[in-house]
Amino acid sequence: MTPVKGRAAPRAGTGANFLDPVVLQRIGNLELVARGVVEGFLQGLHRSPFLGQSLDFAEHRPYTVGDDPRRVDWRVYARTGRYYVKEFEAETNTDFTLLLDVSRSMAFGGSGITKFDYARFLAASLVFFARRQGDRVGIVTLDDRVRDFVPCSARHLERVLITIDRARPDGSGHLASALEALAERQARAGIVALVSDLYLDPEELSGPLKVLGQAGNDVLVFHVLDPAERELPYDDALTMEDLETGETLPLQPGDLRSEYRELVRAHITAVAQALAKGRVDHLLADTSSPLDEVLFGYLSARQNRKRRGRWASPS
Amino acid sequence: MGLAFLTPLFLAGLFAVAIPVVVHLIRRHRGTPVAFPSLMFLRRLPVRDVRRRQIRDWPLLLIRASAVALLALAFARPVLQFGEEAVAGDEDAFREVVVVLDRSWSMTRGDRWARAVSVADSVVTGLQSPDRASLVLFDRSGIVAVEPTLEMGRIHSVLDTTRAGWSGARFGAGLQAASTVLAASDRSRREVVFISDFQRSGWEQGPRDRLPPGVRFTPIDVGDEERRVLVVADVALEHDFPDGRHLVTPTVRILHRGSDVPTRGELVLEVDGAVVESRQIEISAESTSVEMQPFMLAGAEPTLAAVRLTPQEGERPEAFRFVLSPREVLAVLLMESGEAASFLRRALRPGGTPPIRLETRLGTQGLSAQDLEGTDLVILHDVPLPAGPAATALRDHVVSGGGLLVVAGPGSAPGGWASEWDGLLPGRPGETVTRDPARGGSLTGFLRDHPVFMSFEGSEGGSLGQPRFFRYRALSGGLLSGSGSEGEDEPTSILARFDDGSPALTERATGGGRTLLWTSSFDTEWTDLPLQPTFVPLVREIVRYAGARRESTPFVTVGQPLDPGYLLEAAGLFPSSTAGTGGGEDRSGILTGPGGRRIELRPSGGPVELREPGFYDIEGDEGGGGQGWSIAANPDLGELDPARVDPEELTLAVQGDGSASAEGRATPGETSLAEGERRQGAWRFLLLAVLVLLLGEALLANRKKPLAKQVGSA
């Protein structure tokens, strides 16, 4: 799946600059980054309706005239003799679990920002956006195993952002085993978003994700790629070093460029096709693209999935 | 305009131009690997041999190759040359070599000359084109036989035809000629190759006998062990005039060196080509003097004489030549009273130079013109001044070119003063001046450049100031007045004074002759002068001058510079009485050497140098005037001196400024330095161009690879 077309035109005003990942990189506060991205995104987008009706208890407050008598907590009245009503913090109907790839290949960046930074901003924005919609948010950082796990909760936004902020790309890129373990532990259906550069076999990737999807999760994959690793823009003879394995390879990039591009395109296509078979959405996130483009693609994918779900469900 | 290089070896650095080309072709990988997310796709692609890459970035390659080439050129120190210099390419980096060859008489001994020529040929042959060479030949004087040239064949041909001469050696002459050549050279590497037998007699360093700074001096010694020397070193001539005849007795001094064994030889005296005497002689181990039989001179023509020594061992005979002539003899008529002139007679005895034939006469009575015939000088020693015919005869004698010396002693009785003496005497002798008997007076105030006192120059008059004069006559009237009749006479000159200012010796020229007046005496009555060592030389100088005779020698040395005026005067072509008056300026003569070589003699011309031993004839150039003359030239006996100078000593002396390096690397002179620096400044511009190219290369290289920036791990 390619990035959403037709939204490439930059928007005027400060909001457009604020969505530039290179500019966002200069902001140290990840929450502020995510808030800015989402608010800026929403300013250019009609507010979408809340999805779901679930309520989470937040606190008790004294009863006042006009309150619905049905919200009086009679247990508290029995213990204290006073009337209190229950306050519910927000309305939620799903868990939003973010899977962040922290393998070493994510450390690459050829155009001012590394893939990992871009992935962090994207992850934070998605979490913030989900939380703004009332979803419960959690995060899993993983490489060849699960590194950090924050379960979904309406109160875990800060923990999730801290986890994202502290994550470092220093693991292996074989995500399959970690995803399989995660699929086994996933107890409650929700939204699962994987942010990764996907340097692994498409079939190995699609297996665990298919399991997650069969468990009732809506699975999305954000395929983060740098333009340099798609285009191979080098001219001079050089030695390349694999960030994950440390392997080196002397070569003449200029002579291999076209064949390399073809291989990369074939890989992206193969990943997308493999994920599609498991009803997993594949979103290509180019690190040179503004984050709102990716967010818009995310929303589009969500709406498409709902339409597919209605059509697929028996009437 | 041409281009040369001071350090052409650095041009080998041009091969480094290949380095950028090879690097471009090989495309060696960077030292630091470029990080990349994964090589999973690249590993699937076929590996290609990067050595076969074609050049992709021609501008970058050209910039890098140009920078390397310019760097090599800058280190090679290019030198710009203009005009003729450019013809020979990098000429300035080559040498200016002056071959200085000794051709003095000593070089004829053994095979020295052949070896010297061979060495010179080898030196010239060993030069590299375009080294420039020149040839200087020297003995007592130096000449540039071949000006600086690139054609070595010219030097070879001159060496083939040059022979060593008979003159002595003076190293300074060769060095000065070489310095002249080197001073005109603009090359930085300058050398002098000095080929000689290094006889000590040739080296007497003068202030100009140094080479210019930075010149390498290479001495080449072709001398060998000194062989036996057996030559006629000198001939002393004793003149005697018995019975009106002129007898000459030669005494031959034979030099025998290099052997401790006495030897024998045949000594032959030839006069005008005829053998006068021949005898076998014993020659001791050092030197031997042999007095030959006297022979008589007759007539007015010069007599050519030679002494030949033929050694017993069959060595080649050596001749010693000399010329004699009756005209050399100064005829003096001494008129005295009694024996008062005994000191004077002894001072004027025949020996010495010039030979003096002395006649004496008591008093002046009866003196006639016939008595003065053939007389060069009349001396009136302490006799009264004659009057009448005697005075007239004396006056005529002076006017016709004769000399007159008046010694105004106590017997001169200057009371009378005949009119014939007007304009003749340089002053009227008067009353006697008596000085302190204990201290007396002394001579002061000489005309140091006068011929009479010229030989005393250097003694500061000390020797002439020693004699004490207790009495002398004061002069009055006619002194310095030039009162001669009809304006023909020259004014009177005071040649010497006593310490009280009174004249001691005065001179007056009248007609062709001159009169000198000595106001004291030449005996011990008024002065102790006759007892002083200066008496004899002073008297002989006065007599020689008053008799109008210049010093002449029976022979000269080959290579000795001779005044053409002297030669013309000796030949009667340029009388000394006309010297300086312009009367003899138009007279010239021809000097004909033993080989028939003719040299024109002009009074105002430069010195004449006789190049070979033998007899030389002097004649008027148009056959008119003069009586003809001959002179004899003998080899320089200083060449027989076996002592030698160490070539290293000579090297240190001529390079005494220490500017020459031990390796002989030349340092240009002050002017050459500035000029050389100006011409060698191109390397700065080349380095600047290299810097500009490297900056351009950096900009171009960085502009072409913005996306190829290396990415480190986060």
Side-chain angles (χ1 to χ4, degrees):
Chain A
M1 184 176 285
T2 57
V4 179
K5 305 296 182 184
R7 289 194 53 84
R11 292 173 291 265
T14 56
N17 290 335
F18 201 67
L19 294 173
D20 185 343
V22 178
V23 176
L24 293 174
Q25 191 182 23
R26 301 171 190 167
I27 303 174
N29 191 322
L30 193 61
E31 182 180 357
L32 181 60
V33 171
R35 184 189 302 275
V37 171
V38 172
E39 295 295 342
F41 169 70
L42 291 179
Q43 283 177 6
L45 189 70
H46 293 294
R47 182 180 295 267
S48 59
F50 287 171
L51 306 174
Q53 299 291 326
S54 63
L55 297 174
D56 274 0
F57 170 78
E59 60 183 357
H60 288 93
R61 68 173 174 81
Y63 173 81
T64 58
V65 177
D67 286 335
D68 187 352
R70 290 176 297 178
R71 296 178 61 186
V72 175
D73 190 339
W74 300 108
R75 293 180 181 179
V76 175
Y77 174 76
R79 288 198 301 269
T80 64
R82 297 180 180 180
Y83 296 103
Y84 287 89
V85 296
K86 284 184 176 179
E87 284 286 346
F88 293 92
E89 189 177 45
E91 294 175 310
T92 60
N93 63 350
T94 188
D95 291 346
F96 182 87
T97 303
L98 186 82
L99 308 182
L100 180 60
D101 181 0
V102 293
S103 64
R104 281 189 291 271
S105 63
M106 293 290 285
F108 179 78
S111 56
I113 184 171
T114 66
K115 288 192 293 183
F116 189 72
D117 284 339
Y118 191 89
R120 287 168 60 219
F121 297 155
L122 176 61
S125 300
L126 289 173
V127 169
F128 198 84
F129 186 67
R131 187 68 197 93
R132 186 180 178 90
Q133 292 189 124
D135 295 339
R136 295 181 298 179
V137 294
I139 188 171
V140 177
T141 62
L142 69 167
D143 40 42
D144 56 349
R145 57 189 176 91
V146 174
R147 294 289 180 177
D148 296 302
F149 176 74
V150 177
C152 292
S153 170
R155 296 187 298 268
H156 284 176
L157 174 62
E158 187 176 353
R159 285 184 61 190
V160 169
L161 292 177
I162 290 174
T163 301
I164 293 174
D165 191 43
R166 290 178 177 175
R168 292 293 179 268
D170 57 359
S172 171
H174 297 288
L175 305 179
S177 56
L179 289 174
E180 289 172 357
L182 194 63
E184 294 174 358
R185 293 170 54 183
Q186 188 74 7
R188 184 177 176 180
I191 301 172
V192 176
L194 172 62
V195 181
S196 170
D197 53 7
L198 303 181
Y199 275 108
L200 70 170
D201 185 88
E203 295 303 325
E204 292 182 8
L205 173 68
S206 63
L209 294 180
K210 186 177 180 180
V211 172
L212 283 172
Q214 289 173 345
N217 294 295
D218 290 340
V219 183
L220 299 93
V221 174
F222 292 90
H223 193 171
V224 181
L225 288 176
D226 189 278
E229 63 184 327
R230 296 176 64 186
E231 301 297 331
L232 197 65
Y234 310 103
D235 291 323
D236 291 340
L238 49 77
T239 298
M240 284 189 167
E241 179 183 11
D242 192 313
L243 277 174
E244 292 195 1
T245 65
E247 178 191 2
T248 59
L249 182 64
L251 47 83
Q252 176 69 44
D255 295 342
L256 307 174
R257 185 175 298 118
S258 59
E259 295 164 279
Y260 174 83
R261 288 175 180 172
E262 192 60 37
L263 286 176
V264 171
R265 274 196 294 272
H267 174 70
I268 294 173
T269 303
V271 168
Q273 291 176 347
L275 294 179
K277 290 178 183 177
R279 299 178 59 83
V280 175
D281 291 330
H282 177 253
L283 299 173
L284 193 59
D286 192 302
T287 59
S288 62
S289 301
L291 284 170
D292 59 342
E293 283 189 10
V294 185
L295 292 177
F296 189 83
Y298 165 66
L299 288 182
S300 298
R302 292 287 299 150
Q303 287 178 347
N304 290 337
R305 175 172 290 275
K306 285 183 68 67
R307 283 196 293 272
R308 287 200 305 269
R310 280 198 296 269
W311 296 334
S313 61
S315 56
Chain B
M1 188 174 69
L3 186 65
F5 297 94
L6 290 184
T7 52
L9 282 179
F10 276 101
L11 290 178
L14 288 175
F15 288 110
V17 171
I19 294 176
V21 179
V22 172
V23 168
H24 273 68
L25 289 175
I26 290 180
R27 293 276 178 154
R28 281 294 177 196
H29 317 117
R30 296 178 179 177
T32 305
V34 174
F36 204 67
S38 175
L39 301 180
M40 59 182 291
F41 303 125
L42 293 170
R43 278 196 298 267
R44 299 176 192 170
L45 298 175
V47 177
R48 294 175 182 174
D49 185 0
V50 295
R51 294 175 186 272
R52 293 198 299 247
R53 300 301 115 196
Q54 292 181 343
I55 294 174
R56 296 172 177 274
D57 199 340
W58 277 103
L60 205 57
L61 172 64
L62 291 177
I63 288 177
R64 289 169 176 168
S66 302
V68 173
L70 291 178
L71 197 62
L73 290 175
F75 274 90
R77 300 292 301 275
V79 180
L80 297 177
Q81 293 178 322
F82 305 91
E84 295 181 354
E85 296 175 355
V87 175
D90 54 346
E91 199 171 340
D92 190 55
F94 290 89
R95 297 179 291 172
E96 177 79 66
V97 178
V98 182
V99 178
V100 182
L101 182 57
D102 183 355
R103 60 167 177 174
S104 63
W105 187 32
S106 63
M107 293 291 287
T108 63
R109 303 179 66 82
D111 59 347
R112 290 179 186 177
W113 178 251
R115 285 190 288 123
V117 170
S118 174
V119 168
D121 277 328
S122 300
V123 170
V124 173
T125 303
L127 297 180
Q128 297 178 348
S129 178
D131 284 345
R132 204 160 52 192
S134 52
L135 178 64
V136 167
L137 302 174
F138 78 96
D139 38 36
R140 292 183 65 87
S141 61
I143 61 167
V144 182
V146 179
E147 295 286 347
T149 179
L150 299 172
E151 302 171 11
M152 302 306 160
R154 292 177 53 195
I155 296 180
H156 289 306
S157 62
V158 171
L159 286 172
D160 289 342
T161 57
T162 301
R163 298 289 178 266
W166 299 87
S167 181
R170 191 170 66 84
F171 296 166
L175 294 173
Q176 289 175 20
S179 299
T180 304
V181 173
L182 295 174
S185 172
D186 56 355
R187 296 202 174 183
S188 57
R189 299 181 61 191
R190 297 176 292 173
E191 297 183 17
V192 168
V193 179
F194 196 87
I195 305 171
S196 172
D197 56 1
F198 293 96
Q199 275 202 304
R200 170 67 71 180
S201 59
W203 180 234
E204 184 177 354
Q205 187 171 16
R208 296 170 54 197
D209 297 340
R210 285 179 185 272
L211 294 173
V215 175
R216 179 183 183 183
F217 182 80
T218 305
I220 298 179
D221 187 3
V222 295
D224 49 16
E225 289 299 323
E226 188 62 38
R227 300 180 181 180
R228 192 177 66 137
V229 175
L230 183 60
V231 295
V232 177
D234 193 12
V235 175
L237 300 172
E238 188 74 22
H239 296 263
D240 198 6
F241 303 92
D243 305 326
R245 294 178 301 166
H246 184 181
L247 296 180
V248 177
T249 304
T251 300
V252 180
R253 188 168 66 88
I254 298 172
L255 188 66
H256 186 201
R257 283 179 177 163
S259 173
D260 296 333
V261 181
T263 183
R264 293 180 60 84
E266 182 185 22
L267 194 62
V268 177
L269 172 63
E270 297 177 358
V271 177
D272 285 335
V275 176
V276 174
E277 183 184 359
S278 174
R279 67 165 79 168
Q280 294 291 329
I281 58 171
E282 293 282 346
I283 305 172
S284 68
E286 287 298 329
S287 62
T288 300
S289 293
V290 179
E291 183 175 316
M292 306 295 285
Q293 293 293 328
F295 62 92
M296 189 178 69
L297 291 182
E301 295 301 316
T303 297
L304 311 183
V307 174
R308 299 183 188 277
L309 174 63
T310 303
Q312 195 177 36
E313 285 77 6
E315 298 176 16
R316 65 178 185 180
E318 299 286 354
F320 193 94
R321 303 169 182 84
F322 52 99
V323 176
L324 295 169
S325 171
R327 286 194 289 127
E328 288 274 348
V329 179
L330 182 62
V332 177
L333 175 60
L334 172 60
M335 289 185 281
E336 57 180 343
S337 57
E339 294 295 322
S342 59
F343 291 102
L344 187 59
R345 282 200 302 275
R346 281 200 293 272
L348 300 178
R349 62 189 175 187
T353 303
I356 295 175
R357 188 181 63 200
L358 180 64
E359 293 182 9
T360 58
R361 181 188 176 100
L362 288 175
T364 58
Q365 280 193 334
L367 183 68
S368 66
Q370 292 178 342
D371 297 331
L372 300 178
E373 203 167 307
T375 300
D376 297 312
L377 173 64
V378 177
I379 301 176
L380 299 180
H381 183 265
D382 204 14
V383 295
L385 294 178
T392 303
L394 286 173
R395 179 181 177 83
D396 293 344
H397 165 74
V398 173
V399 171
S400 63
L404 175 63
L405 172 61
V406 177
V407 181
S412 57
W417 191 262
S419 61
E420 290 83 356
W421 293 97
D422 289 341
L424 189 63
L425 274 184
R428 186 190 300 271
E431 297 298 324
T432 302
V433 177
T434 303
R435 301 294 299 269
D436 182 359
R439 299 175 54 190
S442 61
L443 285 174
T444 57
F446 314 104
L447 291 181
R448 297 184 184 278
D449 56 350
H450 193 275
V452 171
F453 301 106
M454 202 176 290
S455 60
F456 296 93
E457 189 177 10
S459 63
E460 301 296 333
S463 57
L464 287 176
Q466 291 295 324
R468 289 290 175 264
F469 296 87
F470 305 104
R471 289 189 179 85
Y472 44 83
R473 292 190 182 276
L475 294 186
S476 63
L479 190 64
L480 298 175
S481 63
S483 58
S485 60
E486 302 170 3
E488 297 175 352
D489 303 328
E490 297 178 4
T492 299
S493 300
I494 300 175
L495 306 184
R497 294 177 183 272
F498 294 110
D499 54 358
D500 61 353
S502 301
L505 181 65
T506 60
E507 174 193 1
R508 182 163 197 168
T510 304
R514 58 174 66 97
T515 303
L516 275 73
L517 175 60
W518 177 254
T519 60
S520 187
S521 67
F522 279 152
D523 56 22
T524 57
E525 190 169 347
W526 280 11
T527 175
D528 63 355
L529 174 63
L531 305 179
Q532 298 292 336
T534 56
F535 175 67
V536 173
L538 177 62
V539 167
R540 294 190 76 97
E541 290 300 324
I542 292 174
V543 167
R544 177 187 291 125
Y545 177 71
R549 286 290 185 273
R550 287 190 60 171
E551 181 180 0
S552 61
T553 56
F555 60 88
V556 297
T557 302
V558 172
Q560 174 183 346
L562 298 174
D563 179 11
Y566 161 73
L567 297 175
L568 291 171
E569 180 183 341
L573 300 171
F574 185 53
S576 59
S577 58
T578 62
T581 63
E585 283 298 317
D586 295 335
R587 306 296 299 276
S588 61
I590 299 296
L591 180 71
T592 305
R597 179 169 171 251
R598 294 163 64 87
I599 303 173
E600 186 180 11
L601 299 176
R602 290 190 175 280
S604 58
V608 175
E609 193 171 298
L610 308 182
R611 303 298 310 176
E612 55 184 325
F615 294 106
Y616 290 76
D617 298 325
I618 306 172
E619 296 176 340
D621 55 353
E622 296 175 354
Q627 303 158 353
W629 190 250
S630 295
I631 57 174
N634 291 307
D636 190 339
L637 296 179
E639 290 292 286
L640 301 176
D641 186 357
R644 287 154 46 83
V645 62
D646 186 355
E648 291 300 321
E649 176 188 341
L650 183 66
T651 302
L652 293 175
V654 301
Q655 293 184 336
D657 61 347
S659 60
S661 65
E663 295 80 16
R665 187 176 297 280
T667 306
E670 294 292 334
T671 305
S672 299
L673 266 178
E675 178 67 13
E677 188 61 26
R678 184 181 69 79
R679 295 183 181 185
Q680 298 167 18
W683 64 272
R684 298 188 181 91
F685 299 102
L686 291 176
L687 287 184
L688 188 62
V690 169
L691 184 62
V692 171
L693 284 176
L694 292 179
L695 286 174
E697 188 269 349
L699 292 175
L700 187 62
N702 289 331
R703 187 173 60 82
K704 280 182 171 294
K705 294 178 288 186
L707 293 178
K709 184 172 59 179
Q710 294 183 26
V711 179
S713 57

